[in-house]
Amino acid sequence: MSDLCAPTFADLASRLGFSCDTAGGLVAFRSPFSLENWTLPVLELTVIAGAVLALVYAIVRLRRHNDPTNIVVWFGAIAYLLIIEPPLYFPGPFGISEHVDTMFAHNVFTVDFLWGRLPLYIIAIYPMMATVAFEIVRTLGVFRRYGVLVGATCVGLVHHVFYEIFDHLGPQLQWWEWTLDNPMNKPFFDSVPMGSVVVFAALWPMSLAFCVQLFVGRQVDDGRTFSGGQLLWRTVVIGVMASIGTAVLPLPATIAGAVSGSTTAVGVVYALELIAVVAVAAPVLIKQWLGVRRGGTDGYTTHPAILIYAAIYLAVMTVLWATALSDYFGATNGLTSNGDPIGSLWYTVLCLVVATASVGAAAGVVARTRHVSETVTVTS
């Protein structure tokens, strides 16, 4: 669809190995064996499987426990995606091309939507990762003990560490390509824009979790039930409010850039925002984990399948990173021999350690709770 094929996107598509003009229509299917490299279908399968699992779990929670929280997380993330992503893909038709040029392009995968702009796995990664992060924090009892805002901040941190493992690998394996000279992408943290590191990895899931817990989760915890219509409008509102939150939370960096005219200032303020999230969330998560280890949990725990999937996701990402290390260490000036930009290995390792620890902490709570429950059952 050549009228939607902006020059910047056409250039990015060419570098990724496909043509903007022949990328397909509203939906396109390809053989997984015809993709750019073998890592693309592996990534696709891993993420989509997680999203399906998260949806099944959300339905089970609703039917068996009358708890719609996970349903709202899942579809709230989709609502957020539908609000945020299309204008980034088509700034011209949305009338914002004078202010926003194409920021990135995804490679083509087995299933794509919107003329090669939106792979199915990208749709899936929003609810999958939001569910994993939300369930870990909820299982550790942070929302019960510290309230909506602190709980949402913890979700932002957990989501961040899971997402950055993926975010710093994608450009090297040609999962997507960033527009290097787009001012909105600057500054970069190795191959990743700081906006992605902070806004899309931490602030948007924080905003989503805050809205979900505010409008649904805390009321479910108090015993309230919702009708289908009430859940529908709340989910739409949550998607809209989370989108607004994603615009509001990065405002300090936006203002710093506008006032100073410096992308360095933007990067510094983004870093300070991320440090603030870590400063709030990390001590709370550690303290809460130690607390439930000693005294157990008196509330919600997730199903082990969610945590098993989270561990599988981390294992798959570790394998994909391991296969990329040869080219990574052979890179010159941040580029592999194929010209692909490399991410930050040390930061990825740090995120992997924190993500693994968070899964282990939640798994310990689940195991302890199940053991106590089984002991009580046997005694009875």
Side-chain angles (χ1 to χ4, degrees), residues 169-218:
L169 182 59
Q172 181 182 338
L173 295 183
Q174 299 184 348
W175 297 344
W176 63 82
E177 180 124 3
W178 293 101
T179 306
L180 299 180
D181 58 357
N182 189 321
M184 295 185 68
N185 285 341
K186 297 178 179 179
F188 279 79
F189 175 14
D190 288 344
S191 66
V192 186
M194 281 296 292
S196 180
V197 171
V198 179
V199 179
F200 282 97
L203 298 186
W204 97 256
M206 175 181 168
S207 180
L208 176 72
F210 179 85
C211 294
V212 168
Q213 191 66 12
L214 182 68
F215 288 108
V216 176
R218 66 173 183 165

mmCIF file of all heavy atoms in Angstrom, residues 169-218:
data_model
loop_
_atom_site.group_PDB
_atom_site.id
_atom_site.type_symbol
_atom_site.label_atom_id
_atom_site.label_comp_id
_atom_site.label_asym_id
_atom_site.label_seq_id
_atom_site.Cartn_x
_atom_site.Cartn_y
_atom_site.Cartn_z
ATOM 1 N N LEU A 169 18.275 -7.014 22.760
ATOM 2 C CA LEU A 169 18.681 -8.054 21.815
ATOM 3 C C LEU A 169 18.053 -7.870 20.441
ATOM 4 O O LEU A 169 18.644 -8.243 19.421
ATOM 5 C CB LEU A 169 18.294 -9.429 22.385
ATOM 6 C CG LEU A 169 18.683 -10.664 21.566
ATOM 7 C CD1 LEU A 169 20.201 -10.730 21.363
ATOM 8 C CD2 LEU A 169 18.180 -11.929 22.258
ATOM 9 N N GLY A 170 16.848 -7.275 20.405
ATOM 10 C CA GLY A 170 16.086 -7.195 19.167
ATOM 11 C C GLY A 170 16.795 -6.585 17.971
ATOM 12 O O GLY A 170 16.805 -7.166 16.884
ATOM 13 N N PRO A 171 17.443 -5.407 18.115
ATOM 14 C CA PRO A 171 18.105 -4.807 16.947
ATOM 15 C C PRO A 171 19.225 -5.678 16.374
ATOM 16 O O PRO A 171 19.397 -5.736 15.150
ATOM 17 C CB PRO A 171 18.642 -3.485 17.507
ATOM 18 C CG PRO A 171 17.732 -3.156 18.645
ATOM 19 C CD PRO A 171 17.402 -4.475 19.264
ATOM 20 N N GLN A 172 19.980 -6.360 17.236
ATOM 21 C CA GLN A 172 21.072 -7.193 16.730
ATOM 22 C C GLN A 172 20.555 -8.377 15.926
ATOM 23 O O GLN A 172 21.160 -8.771 14.918
ATOM 24 C CB GLN A 172 21.940 -7.708 17.882
ATOM 25 C CG GLN A 172 23.121 -8.564 17.386
ATOM 26 C CD GLN A 172 23.962 -9.126 18.505
ATOM 27 O OE1 GLN A 172 23.967 -8.598 19.612
ATOM 28 N NE2 GLN A 172 24.683 -10.206 18.224
ATOM 29 N N LEU A 173 19.416 -8.943 16.332
ATOM 30 C CA LEU A 173 18.856 -10.107 15.645
ATOM 31 C C LEU A 173 17.826 -9.716 14.596
ATOM 32 O O LEU A 173 17.098 -10.555 14.094
ATOM 33 C CB LEU A 173 18.246 -11.077 16.662
ATOM 34 C CG LEU A 173 19.258 -11.705 17.631
ATOM 35 C CD1 LEU A 173 18.571 -12.697 18.558
ATOM 36 C CD2 LEU A 173 20.406 -12.374 16.889
ATOM 37 N N GLN A 174 17.735 -8.423 14.310
ATOM 38 C CA GLN A 174 16.870 -7.890 13.254
ATOM 39 C C GLN A 174 15.387 -8.164 13.509
ATOM 40 O O GLN A 174 14.620 -8.395 12.579
ATOM 41 C CB GLN A 174 17.296 -8.443 11.879
ATOM 42 C CG GLN A 174 18.708 -8.061 11.500
ATOM 43 C CD GLN A 174 19.106 -8.531 10.109
ATOM 44 O OE1 GLN A 174 18.413 -9.337 9.479
ATOM 45 N NE2 GLN A 174 20.226 -8.045 9.627
ATOM 46 N N TRP A 175 14.995 -8.114 14.777
ATOM 47 C CA TRP A 175 13.577 -8.211 15.093
ATOM 48 C C TRP A 175 12.886 -6.892 14.767
ATOM 49 O O TRP A 175 11.707 -6.850 14.472
ATOM 50 C CB TRP A 175 13.377 -8.548 16.565
ATOM 51 C CG TRP A 175 13.939 -9.901 16.952
ATOM 52 C CD1 TRP A 175 14.301 -10.907 16.091
ATOM 53 C CD2 TRP A 175 14.224 -10.384 18.266
ATOM 54 N NE1 TRP A 175 14.769 -11.982 16.810
ATOM 55 C CE2 TRP A 175 14.747 -11.694 18.146
ATOM 56 C CE3 TRP A 175 14.077 -9.838 19.539
ATOM 57 C CZ2 TRP A 175 15.102 -12.464 19.249
ATOM 58 C CZ3 TRP A 175 14.442 -10.590 20.638
ATOM 59 C CH2 TRP A 175 14.948 -11.892 20.498
ATOM 60 N N TRP A 176 13.623 -5.796 14.875
ATOM 61 C CA TRP A 176 13.140 -4.479 14.476
ATOM 62 C C TRP A 176 14.349 -3.579 14.241
ATOM 63 O O TRP A 176 15.489 -3.945 14.528
ATOM 64 C CB TRP A 176 12.228 -3.861 15.550
ATOM 65 C CG TRP A 176 12.895 -3.590 16.853
ATOM 66 C CD1 TRP A 176 13.653 -2.519 17.198
ATOM 67 C CD2 TRP A 176 12.895 -4.444 18.014
ATOM 68 N NE1 TRP A 176 14.125 -2.633 18.493
ATOM 69 C CE2 TRP A 176 13.667 -3.810 19.009
ATOM 70 C CE3 TRP A 176 12.310 -5.672 18.295
ATOM 71 C CZ2 TRP A 176 13.866 -4.368 20.268
ATOM 72 C CZ3 TRP A 176 12.504 -6.228 19.555
ATOM 73 C CH2 TRP A 176 13.273 -5.588 20.520
ATOM 74 N N GLU A 177 14.087 -2.391 13.750
ATOM 75 C CA GLU A 177 15.155 -1.410 13.509
ATOM 76 C C GLU A 177 14.653 -0.037 13.925
ATOM 77 O O GLU A 177 13.535 0.372 13.585
ATOM 78 C CB GLU A 177 15.556 -1.403 12.026
ATOM 79 C CG GLU A 177 16.646 -0.414 11.718
ATOM 80 C CD GLU A 177 17.853 -1.058 11.045
ATOM 81 O OE1 GLU A 177 17.823 -2.262 10.772
ATOM 82 O OE2 GLU A 177 18.826 -0.329 10.808
ATOM 83 N N TRP A 178 15.480 0.668 14.684
ATOM 84 C CA TRP A 178 15.150 2.016 15.106
ATOM 85 C C TRP A 178 15.625 3.039 14.062
ATOM 86 O O TRP A 178 16.619 2.813 13.384
ATOM 87 C CB TRP A 178 15.817 2.356 16.431
ATOM 88 C CG TRP A 178 15.316 1.570 17.600
ATOM 89 C CD1 TRP A 178 15.919 0.489 18.184
ATOM 90 C CD2 TRP A 178 14.113 1.800 18.343
ATOM 91 N NE1 TRP A 178 15.164 0.040 19.235
ATOM 92 C CE2 TRP A 178 14.051 0.827 19.367
ATOM 93 C CE3 TRP A 178 13.082 2.750 18.245
ATOM 94 C CZ2 TRP A 178 12.999 0.768 20.279
ATOM 95 C CZ3 TRP A 178 12.032 2.693 19.160
ATOM 96 C CH2 TRP A 178 12.001 1.707 20.157
ATOM 97 N N THR A 179 14.920 4.161 13.983
ATOM 98 C CA THR A 179 15.368 5.284 13.168
ATOM 99 C C THR A 179 16.404 6.067 13.965
ATOM 100 O O THR A 179 16.072 6.721 14.966
ATOM 101 C CB THR A 179 14.196 6.208 12.798
ATOM 102 O OG1 THR A 179 13.167 5.440 12.189
ATOM 103 C CG2 THR A 179 14.653 7.284 11.828
ATOM 104 N N LEU A 180 17.640 6.000 13.539
ATOM 105 C CA LEU A 180 18.734 6.517 14.366
ATOM 106 C C LEU A 180 18.740 8.030 14.482
ATOM 107 O O LEU A 180 19.194 8.583 15.484
ATOM 108 C CB LEU A 180 20.073 6.030 13.804
ATOM 109 C CG LEU A 180 20.260 4.506 13.766
ATOM 110 C CD1 LEU A 180 21.625 4.165 13.195
ATOM 111 C CD2 LEU A 180 20.079 3.885 15.147
ATOM 112 N N ASP A 181 18.264 8.727 13.430
ATOM 113 C CA ASP A 181 18.333 10.191 13.457
ATOM 114 C C ASP A 181 17.023 10.859 13.873
ATOM 115 O O ASP A 181 16.882 12.071 13.779
ATOM 116 C CB ASP A 181 18.772 10.723 12.091
ATOM 117 C CG ASP A 181 17.841 10.278 10.957
ATOM 118 O OD1 ASP A 181 16.884 9.512 11.230
ATOM 119 O OD2 ASP A 181 18.085 10.685 9.807
ATOM 120 N N ASN A 182 16.047 10.059 14.334
ATOM 121 C CA ASN A 182 14.789 10.635 14.806
ATOM 122 C C ASN A 182 15.017 11.251 16.188
ATOM 123 O O ASN A 182 15.437 10.562 17.122
ATOM 124 C CB ASN A 182 13.710 9.551 14.885
ATOM 125 C CG ASN A 182 12.330 10.119 15.165
ATOM 126 O OD1 ASN A 182 12.164 11.042 15.952
ATOM 127 N ND2 ASN A 182 11.324 9.566 14.514
ATOM 128 N N PRO A 183 14.748 12.547 16.361
ATOM 129 C CA PRO A 183 14.995 13.193 17.662
ATOM 130 C C PRO A 183 14.237 12.533 18.808
ATOM 131 O O PRO A 183 14.704 12.559 19.949
ATOM 132 C CB PRO A 183 14.513 14.637 17.433
ATOM 133 C CG PRO A 183 14.577 14.839 15.957
ATOM 134 C CD PRO A 183 14.270 13.503 15.342
ATOM 135 N N MET A 184 13.065 11.941 18.512
ATOM 136 C CA MET A 184 12.276 11.317 19.569
ATOM 137 C C MET A 184 12.923 10.037 20.082
ATOM 138 O O MET A 184 12.555 9.542 21.155
ATOM 139 C CB MET A 184 10.854 11.032 19.072
ATOM 140 C CG MET A 184 10.058 12.271 18.745
ATOM 141 S SD MET A 184 8.344 11.925 18.295
ATOM 142 C CE MET A 184 7.697 11.332 19.865
ATOM 143 N N ASN A 185 13.858 9.480 19.321
ATOM 144 C CA ASN A 185 14.555 8.276 19.757
ATOM 145 C C ASN A 185 15.816 8.582 20.567
ATOM 146 O O ASN A 185 16.409 7.667 21.150
ATOM 147 C CB ASN A 185 14.946 7.414 18.555
ATOM 148 C CG ASN A 185 13.762 6.679 17.961
ATOM 149 O OD1 ASN A 185 12.738 6.508 18.607
ATOM 150 N ND2 ASN A 185 13.895 6.250 16.710
ATOM 151 N N LYS A 186 16.224 9.818 20.577
ATOM 152 C CA LYS A 186 17.489 10.176 21.227
ATOM 153 C C LYS A 186 17.258 10.624 22.666
ATOM 154 O O LYS A 186 16.205 11.199 22.970
ATOM 155 C CB LYS A 186 18.182 11.290 20.434
ATOM 156 C CG LYS A 186 18.579 10.869 19.020
ATOM 157 C CD LYS A 186 19.206 12.021 18.274
ATOM 158 C CE LYS A 186 19.628 11.606 16.864
ATOM 159 N NZ LYS A 186 20.223 12.734 16.115
ATOM 160 N N PRO A 187 18.233 10.314 23.537
ATOM 161 C CA PRO A 187 19.498 9.618 23.273
ATOM 162 C C PRO A 187 19.311 8.106 23.333
ATOM 163 O O PRO A 187 18.293 7.611 23.822
ATOM 164 C CB PRO A 187 20.384 10.087 24.424
ATOM 165 C CG PRO A 187 19.422 10.251 25.564
ATOM 166 C CD PRO A 187 18.156 10.796 24.939
ATOM 167 N N PHE A 188 20.320 7.385 22.835
ATOM 168 C CA PHE A 188 20.306 5.931 22.844
ATOM 169 C C PHE A 188 21.132 5.396 24.009
ATOM 170 O O PHE A 188 22.152 5.971 24.385
ATOM 171 C CB PHE A 188 20.882 5.380 21.546
ATOM 172 C CG PHE A 188 19.912 5.369 20.399
ATOM 173 C CD1 PHE A 188 19.631 6.526 19.693
ATOM 174 C CD2 PHE A 188 19.282 4.188 20.019
ATOM 175 C CE1 PHE A 188 18.742 6.521 18.629
ATOM 176 C CE2 PHE A 188 18.392 4.168 18.960
ATOM 177 C CZ PHE A 188 18.122 5.333 18.257
ATOM 178 N N PHE A 189 20.671 4.301 24.584
ATOM 179 C CA PHE A 189 21.452 3.510 25.526
ATOM 180 C C PHE A 189 21.938 2.307 24.726
ATOM 181 O O PHE A 189 21.233 1.336 24.556
ATOM 182 C CB PHE A 189 20.577 3.093 26.706
ATOM 183 C CG PHE A 189 21.242 2.166 27.700
ATOM 184 C CD1 PHE A 189 22.612 1.951 27.712
ATOM 185 C CD2 PHE A 189 20.478 1.520 28.641
ATOM 186 C CE1 PHE A 189 23.196 1.104 28.633
ATOM 187 C CE2 PHE A 189 21.047 0.666 29.575
ATOM 188 C CZ PHE A 189 22.410 0.459 29.563
ATOM 189 N N ASP A 190 23.144 2.398 24.182
ATOM 190 C CA ASP A 190 23.643 1.443 23.188
ATOM 191 C C ASP A 190 22.660 1.391 22.026
ATOM 192 O O ASP A 190 22.476 2.395 21.366
ATOM 193 C CB ASP A 190 23.915 0.087 23.827
ATOM 194 C CG ASP A 190 25.145 0.134 24.729
ATOM 195 O OD1 ASP A 190 25.937 1.100 24.612
ATOM 196 O OD2 ASP A 190 25.328 -0.767 25.563
ATOM 197 N N SER A 191 21.986 0.268 21.768
ATOM 198 C CA SER A 191 21.114 0.185 20.588
ATOM 199 C C SER A 191 19.666 0.537 20.888
ATOM 200 O O SER A 191 18.806 0.429 20.009
ATOM 201 C CB SER A 191 21.162 -1.230 20.009
ATOM 202 O OG SER A 191 20.602 -2.168 20.909
ATOM 203 N N VAL A 192 19.371 0.963 22.126
ATOM 204 C CA VAL A 192 17.980 1.170 22.537
ATOM 205 C C VAL A 192 17.746 2.626 22.932
ATOM 206 O O VAL A 192 18.489 3.171 23.759
ATOM 207 C CB VAL A 192 17.632 0.254 23.731
ATOM 208 C CG1 VAL A 192 16.137 0.368 24.065
ATOM 209 C CG2 VAL A 192 18.007 -1.189 23.433
ATOM 210 N N PRO A 193 16.716 3.280 22.395
ATOM 211 C CA PRO A 193 16.397 4.641 22.837
ATOM 212 C C PRO A 193 16.042 4.659 24.323
ATOM 213 O O PRO A 193 15.381 3.744 24.828
ATOM 214 C CB PRO A 193 15.178 5.008 21.985
ATOM 215 C CG PRO A 193 15.246 4.109 20.798
ATOM 216 C CD PRO A 193 15.845 2.834 21.296
ATOM 217 N N MET A 194 16.457 5.683 25.012
ATOM 218 C CA MET A 194 16.131 5.797 26.426
ATOM 219 C C MET A 194 14.619 5.866 26.649
ATOM 220 O O MET A 194 14.120 5.443 27.706
ATOM 221 C CB MET A 194 16.801 7.028 27.032
ATOM 222 C CG MET A 194 18.270 6.838 27.357
ATOM 223 S SD MET A 194 18.547 5.574 28.624
ATOM 224 C CE MET A 194 17.841 6.385 30.073
ATOM 225 N N GLY A 195 13.896 6.374 25.663
ATOM 226 C CA GLY A 195 12.443 6.385 25.776
ATOM 227 C C GLY A 195 11.870 4.985 25.872
ATOM 228 O O GLY A 195 10.915 4.733 26.608
ATOM 229 N N SER A 196 12.456 4.048 25.136
ATOM 230 C CA SER A 196 12.014 2.659 25.218
ATOM 231 C C SER A 196 12.408 2.047 26.557
ATOM 232 O O SER A 196 11.627 1.343 27.193
ATOM 233 C CB SER A 196 12.619 1.845 24.069
ATOM 234 O OG SER A 196 12.203 0.480 24.134
ATOM 235 N N VAL A 197 13.633 2.331 26.985
ATOM 236 C CA VAL A 197 14.144 1.778 28.247
ATOM 237 C C VAL A 197 13.273 2.203 29.427
ATOM 238 O O VAL A 197 13.006 1.405 30.335
ATOM 239 C CB VAL A 197 15.601 2.240 28.475
ATOM 240 C CG1 VAL A 197 16.082 1.873 29.879
ATOM 241 C CG2 VAL A 197 16.518 1.627 27.426
ATOM 242 N N VAL A 198 12.828 3.446 29.418
ATOM 243 C CA VAL A 198 12.101 3.985 30.568
ATOM 244 C C VAL A 198 10.594 3.972 30.348
ATOM 245 O O VAL A 198 9.834 3.440 31.163
ATOM 246 C CB VAL A 198 12.586 5.412 30.887
ATOM 247 C CG1 VAL A 198 11.803 5.990 32.073
ATOM 248 C CG2 VAL A 198 14.072 5.408 31.185
ATOM 249 N N VAL A 199 10.132 4.549 29.238
ATOM 250 C CA VAL A 199 8.691 4.721 29.039
ATOM 251 C C VAL A 199 8.011 3.391 28.744
ATOM 252 O O VAL A 199 7.057 2.990 29.427
ATOM 253 C CB VAL A 199 8.408 5.733 27.920
ATOM 254 C CG1 VAL A 199 6.900 5.881 27.710
ATOM 255 C CG2 VAL A 199 9.028 7.077 28.253
ATOM 256 N N PHE A 200 8.493 2.682 27.716
ATOM 257 C CA PHE A 200 7.805 1.466 27.299
ATOM 258 C C PHE A 200 8.158 0.259 28.164
ATOM 259 O O PHE A 200 7.394 -0.702 28.228
ATOM 260 C CB PHE A 200 8.087 1.171 25.828
ATOM 261 C CG PHE A 200 7.280 2.035 24.900
ATOM 262 C CD1 PHE A 200 7.829 3.185 24.349
ATOM 263 C CD2 PHE A 200 5.965 1.737 24.616
ATOM 264 C CE1 PHE A 200 7.084 4.009 23.520
ATOM 265 C CE2 PHE A 200 5.205 2.549 23.793
ATOM 266 C CZ PHE A 200 5.763 3.683 23.237
ATOM 267 N N ALA A 201 9.285 0.298 28.839
ATOM 268 C CA ALA A 201 9.647 -0.836 29.687
ATOM 269 C C ALA A 201 9.140 -0.682 31.112
ATOM 270 O O ALA A 201 8.854 -1.683 31.768
ATOM 271 C CB ALA A 201 11.163 -1.022 29.699
ATOM 272 N N ALA A 202 9.023 0.557 31.615
ATOM 273 C CA ALA A 202 8.663 0.742 33.026
ATOM 274 C C ALA A 202 7.418 1.605 33.245
ATOM 275 O O ALA A 202 6.549 1.235 34.029
ATOM 276 C CB ALA A 202 9.842 1.362 33.780
ATOM 277 N N LEU A 203 7.309 2.741 32.557
ATOM 278 C CA LEU A 203 6.249 3.686 32.899
ATOM 279 C C LEU A 203 4.885 3.266 32.385
ATOM 280 O O LEU A 203 3.870 3.478 33.073
ATOM 281 C CB LEU A 203 6.612 5.085 32.383
ATOM 282 C CG LEU A 203 7.888 5.692 32.984
ATOM 283 C CD1 LEU A 203 8.065 7.131 32.509
ATOM 284 C CD2 LEU A 203 7.868 5.643 34.506
ATOM 285 N N TRP A 204 4.821 2.677 31.167
ATOM 286 C CA TRP A 204 3.487 2.281 30.696
ATOM 287 C C TRP A 204 2.914 1.133 31.521
ATOM 288 O O TRP A 204 1.722 1.187 31.890
ATOM 289 C CB TRP A 204 3.477 1.981 29.190
ATOM 290 C CG TRP A 204 3.606 0.530 28.794
ATOM 291 C CD1 TRP A 204 4.699 -0.087 28.307
ATOM 292 C CD2 TRP A 204 2.591 -0.486 28.845
ATOM 293 N NE1 TRP A 204 4.447 -1.426 28.067
ATOM 294 C CE2 TRP A 204 3.163 -1.691 28.389
ATOM 295 C CE3 TRP A 204 1.247 -0.491 29.252
ATOM 296 C CZ2 TRP A 204 2.458 -2.889 28.319
ATOM 297 C CZ3 TRP A 204 0.536 -1.694 29.185
ATOM 298 C CH2 TRP A 204 1.134 -2.869 28.724
ATOM 299 N N PRO A 205 3.686 0.083 31.862
ATOM 300 C CA PRO A 205 3.091 -0.956 32.716
ATOM 301 C C PRO A 205 2.762 -0.437 34.118
ATOM 302 O O PRO A 205 1.799 -0.895 34.739
ATOM 303 C CB PRO A 205 4.169 -2.048 32.761
ATOM 304 C CG PRO A 205 5.430 -1.383 32.343
ATOM 305 C CD PRO A 205 5.034 -0.300 31.401
ATOM 306 N N MET A 206 3.542 0.510 34.602
ATOM 307 C CA MET A 206 3.224 1.148 35.884
ATOM 308 C C MET A 206 1.878 1.867 35.789
ATOM 309 O O MET A 206 1.024 1.758 36.681
ATOM 310 C CB MET A 206 4.336 2.131 36.244
ATOM 311 C CG MET A 206 4.085 2.945 37.491
ATOM 312 S SD MET A 206 5.482 4.087 37.789
ATOM 313 C CE MET A 206 4.754 5.140 39.062
ATOM 314 N N SER A 207 1.674 2.595 34.702
ATOM 315 C CA SER A 207 0.420 3.311 34.492
ATOM 316 C C SER A 207 -0.757 2.344 34.364
ATOM 317 O O SER A 207 -1.826 2.545 34.955
ATOM 318 C CB SER A 207 0.531 4.182 33.230
ATOM 319 O OG SER A 207 -0.654 4.898 32.991
ATOM 320 N N LEU A 208 -0.563 1.264 33.605
ATOM 321 C CA LEU A 208 -1.620 0.264 33.435
ATOM 322 C C LEU A 208 -1.967 -0.382 34.771
ATOM 323 O O LEU A 208 -3.147 -0.516 35.128
ATOM 324 C CB LEU A 208 -1.178 -0.805 32.435
ATOM 325 C CG LEU A 208 -2.162 -1.967 32.237
ATOM 326 C CD1 LEU A 208 -3.381 -1.495 31.448
ATOM 327 C CD2 LEU A 208 -1.498 -3.139 31.529
ATOM 328 N N ALA A 209 -0.947 -0.817 35.519
ATOM 329 C CA ALA A 209 -1.192 -1.492 36.794
ATOM 330 C C ALA A 209 -1.913 -0.573 37.775
ATOM 331 O O ALA A 209 -2.807 -1.008 38.514
ATOM 332 C CB ALA A 209 0.133 -1.969 37.383
ATOM 333 N N PHE A 210 -1.525 0.698 37.794
ATOM 334 C CA PHE A 210 -2.184 1.661 38.678
ATOM 335 C C PHE A 210 -3.671 1.752 38.354
ATOM 336 O O PHE A 210 -4.525 1.694 39.255
ATOM 337 C CB PHE A 210 -1.529 3.037 38.533
ATOM 338 C CG PHE A 210 -2.158 4.108 39.384
ATOM 339 C CD1 PHE A 210 -1.754 4.267 40.698
ATOM 340 C CD2 PHE A 210 -3.133 4.938 38.869
ATOM 341 C CE1 PHE A 210 -2.339 5.246 41.506
ATOM 342 C CE2 PHE A 210 -3.729 5.915 39.657
ATOM 343 C CZ PHE A 210 -3.334 6.073 40.982
ATOM 344 N N CYS A 211 -3.993 1.870 37.073
ATOM 345 C CA CYS A 211 -5.395 2.013 36.662
ATOM 346 C C CYS A 211 -6.183 0.730 36.923
ATOM 347 O O CYS A 211 -7.333 0.777 37.380
ATOM 348 C CB CYS A 211 -5.472 2.398 35.186
ATOM 349 S SG CYS A 211 -4.793 4.025 34.810
ATOM 350 N N VAL A 212 -5.592 -0.424 36.634
ATOM 351 C CA VAL A 212 -6.275 -1.701 36.862
ATOM 352 C C VAL A 212 -6.585 -1.875 38.344
ATOM 353 O O VAL A 212 -7.710 -2.230 38.730
ATOM 354 C CB VAL A 212 -5.421 -2.878 36.351
ATOM 355 C CG1 VAL A 212 -5.991 -4.207 36.848
ATOM 356 C CG2 VAL A 212 -5.357 -2.879 34.837
ATOM 357 N N GLN A 213 -5.595 -1.642 39.184
ATOM 358 C CA GLN A 213 -5.801 -1.840 40.611
ATOM 359 C C GLN A 213 -6.753 -0.806 41.187
ATOM 360 O O GLN A 213 -7.560 -1.106 42.074
ATOM 361 C CB GLN A 213 -4.450 -1.797 41.338
ATOM 362 C CG GLN A 213 -4.513 -2.258 42.783
ATOM 363 C CD GLN A 213 -4.849 -3.717 42.952
ATOM 364 O OE1 GLN A 213 -4.833 -4.484 41.994
ATOM 365 N NE2 GLN A 213 -5.164 -4.118 44.177
ATOM 366 N N LEU A 214 -6.701 0.418 40.667
ATOM 367 C CA LEU A 214 -7.569 1.481 41.155
ATOM 368 C C LEU A 214 -9.031 1.232 40.804
ATOM 369 O O LEU A 214 -9.921 1.352 41.656
ATOM 370 C CB LEU A 214 -7.116 2.830 40.578
ATOM 371 C CG LEU A 214 -7.905 4.065 41.029
ATOM 372 C CD1 LEU A 214 -7.659 4.331 42.507
ATOM 373 C CD2 LEU A 214 -7.519 5.281 40.184
ATOM 374 N N PHE A 215 -9.280 0.861 39.552
ATOM 375 C CA PHE A 215 -10.652 0.736 39.074
ATOM 376 C C PHE A 215 -11.264 -0.642 39.305
ATOM 377 O O PHE A 215 -12.483 -0.777 39.344
ATOM 378 C CB PHE A 215 -10.729 1.069 37.577
ATOM 379 C CG PHE A 215 -10.560 2.525 37.263
ATOM 380 C CD1 PHE A 215 -9.402 2.993 36.666
ATOM 381 C CD2 PHE A 215 -11.546 3.444 37.572
ATOM 382 C CE1 PHE A 215 -9.237 4.340 36.370
ATOM 383 C CE2 PHE A 215 -11.396 4.794 37.290
ATOM 384 C CZ PHE A 215 -10.231 5.242 36.685
ATOM 385 N N VAL A 216 -10.414 -1.681 39.457
ATOM 386 C CA VAL A 216 -10.954 -3.038 39.566
ATOM 387 C C VAL A 216 -10.317 -3.824 40.716
ATOM 388 O O VAL A 216 -11.009 -4.337 41.586
ATOM 389 C CB VAL A 216 -10.773 -3.816 38.239
ATOM 390 C CG1 VAL A 216 -11.247 -5.269 38.398
ATOM 391 C CG2 VAL A 216 -11.527 -3.143 37.108
ATOM 392 N N GLY A 217 -8.986 -3.948 40.709
ATOM 393 C CA GLY A 217 -8.310 -4.880 41.594
ATOM 394 C C GLY A 217 -8.597 -4.675 43.060
ATOM 395 O O GLY A 217 -8.933 -5.619 43.783
ATOM 396 N N ARG A 218 -8.484 -3.456 43.549
ATOM 397 C CA ARG A 218 -8.675 -3.209 44.987
ATOM 398 C C ARG A 218 -10.125 -3.431 45.395
ATOM 399 O O ARG A 218 -10.413 -3.842 46.532
ATOM 400 C CB ARG A 218 -8.218 -1.811 45.360
ATOM 401 C CG ARG A 218 -9.033 -0.681 44.752
ATOM 402 C CD ARG A 218 -8.628 0.675 45.297
ATOM 403 N NE ARG A 218 -9.456 1.747 44.754
ATOM 404 C CZ ARG A 218 -9.522 2.965 45.262
ATOM 405 N NH1 ARG A 218 -8.803 3.261 46.329
ATOM 406 N NH2 ARG A 218 -10.290 3.885 44.716
#
